[in-house]
Amino acid sequence: MHRSASRLTRVLACAAVPVILTVAGCSSDSGKGSASEGGTKPSAAASGKPSTKPPAALEKAAFATLPDPCKVLQTKTVETLVPEVKDKNGTAAKSNDLSSRASCSWNGLDEDGLKGSQYRWLSVSLVRYDSHSSLGSANKRAEEQYTKQVETAKATEGAQNVKAEPSGGIGDQATSVVHTMKKDADFFNTTLVVRTHNVVVTLDYNGAAYEGAGAPDPAKLLQDAIAAAKETVASVDTANQQQPAQGQQPSQQPQQ
């Protein structure tokens, strides 16, 4: 009887082994099956696949072209700011893309006998930016250039008594930078940096007196420069209201 009980115990123990192994095997595979078998599917992040979300679209540039730089100011404006101007049509700087970068300048010497002479120099520079996938939106690029131009004006070599301040009522942003400079005479310089949407305008206006003439009035120079800057901004707007001829498209090459 004792021998039969021991044998029965061994048989039951052996019979229980496969059951334990089976349960252990099922629990060890938990969560590893396919989605159809109740398992979990690896996430996109776990698989290491990059996101396919498209980049945000850049805004369209407000201005697609620039006006003729030598015609942004009316002839009477040029003659008022630059008495005895040598060439009222101005001198345009060379550019490989006039729809993106252009400038023009005028100068004149007004001689008044024993009362001396007055010299004036005026320059208008325009730079236009387009939206570019790797460089940013047109307005953002113009804002960056605007800031650089203001800093450049403030850091003019040899400049003395530099004063910079915001100028309201011109474009989207505007700053005036005035200073004096000693050359063969005392030069009084005024620079207006203006951003109108995706175009940056830099207007330089300076004057000097010779042979005993009275020095230029800095306040008057600034007042005249502001008026000229407003006229230039209006010319940019007008140029972009005109529709291009049929079949022609304005150039939109990005500026670095």
Side-chain angles (χ1 to χ4, degrees):
M1 184 68 178
H2 177 72
R3 183 180 300 176
S4 297
S6 298
R7 184 177 180 183
L8 178 59
T9 300
R10 288 197 299 271
V11 170
L12 291 175
C14 291
V17 171
V19 176
I20 296 172
L21 292 177
T22 301
V23 173
C26 291
S27 61
S28 65
D29 290 336
S30 177
K32 291 186 177 180
S34 63
S36 61
E37 296 175 347
T40 57
K41 187 176 181 180
S43 65
S47 64
K49 294 182 179 179
S51 174
T52 57
K53 183 179 180 180
L58 293 174
E59 63 182 350
K60 182 180 179 181
F63 296 134
T65 191
L66 294 176
D68 183 332
C70 294
K71 294 181 179 179
V72 294
L73 299 175
Q74 299 179 44
T75 300
K76 65 179 182 179
T77 300
V78 172
E79 292 176 338
T80 298
L81 270 62
V82 188
E84 299 299 324
V85 60
K86 288 183 179 180
D87 183 357
K88 63 183 179 182
N89 294 318
T91 302
K94 293 182 178 180
S95 173
N96 59 4
D97 184 4
L98 290 173
S99 70
S100 295
R101 188 181 298 272
S103 62
C104 188
S105 62
W106 302 261
N107 69 85
L109 181 65
D110 184 11
E111 299 178 287
D112 194 12
L114 296 176
K115 293 183 179 180
S117 304
Q118 291 284 347
Y119 175 79
R120 296 291 184 273
W121 185 80
L122 173 66
S123 172
V124 177
S125 173
L126 306 101
V127 183
R128 184 186 63 82
Y129 292 89
D130 284 310
S131 294
H132 193 273
S133 59
S134 62
L135 300 176
S137 71
N139 278 10
K140 178 178 178 294
R141 298 177 66 201
E143 288 175 5
E144 293 172 349
Q145 178 63 17
Y146 166 82
T147 300
K148 290 179 181 179
Q149 285 297 98
V150 171
E151 293 304 314
T152 297
K154 290 163 62 177
T156 300
E157 185 177 358
Q160 301 175 345
N161 306 314
V162 179
K163 182 180 180 181
E165 59 184 13
S167 293
I170 316 175
D172 297 296
Q173 293 175 282
T175 298
S176 66
V177 181
V178 299
H179 67 268
T180 58
M181 183 178 293
K182 184 71 175 180
K183 295 183 180 179
D184 50 344
D186 288 328
F187 275 74
F188 294 82
N189 300 268
T190 299
T191 299
L192 257 294
V193 183
V194 181
R195 180 183 71 83
T196 173
H197 295 296
N198 58 310
V199 172
V200 177
V201 176
T202 303
L203 186 144
D204 292 301
Y205 184 45
N206 63 61
Y210 292 92
E211 300 171 350
D217 180 359
K220 183 64 166 61
L221 291 176
L222 176 58
Q223 179 182 348
D224 290 341
I226 290 174
K230 289 181 177 179
E231 192 172 323
T232 301
V233 168
S235 293
V236 172
D237 185 63
T238 299
N240 283 275
Q241 290 177 359
Q242 300 172 356
Q243 297 297 322
Q246 186 175 2
Q248 294 183 349
Q249 295 293 331
S251 172
Q252 295 190 359
Q253 297 179 0
Q255 294 293 318
Q256 297 294 335

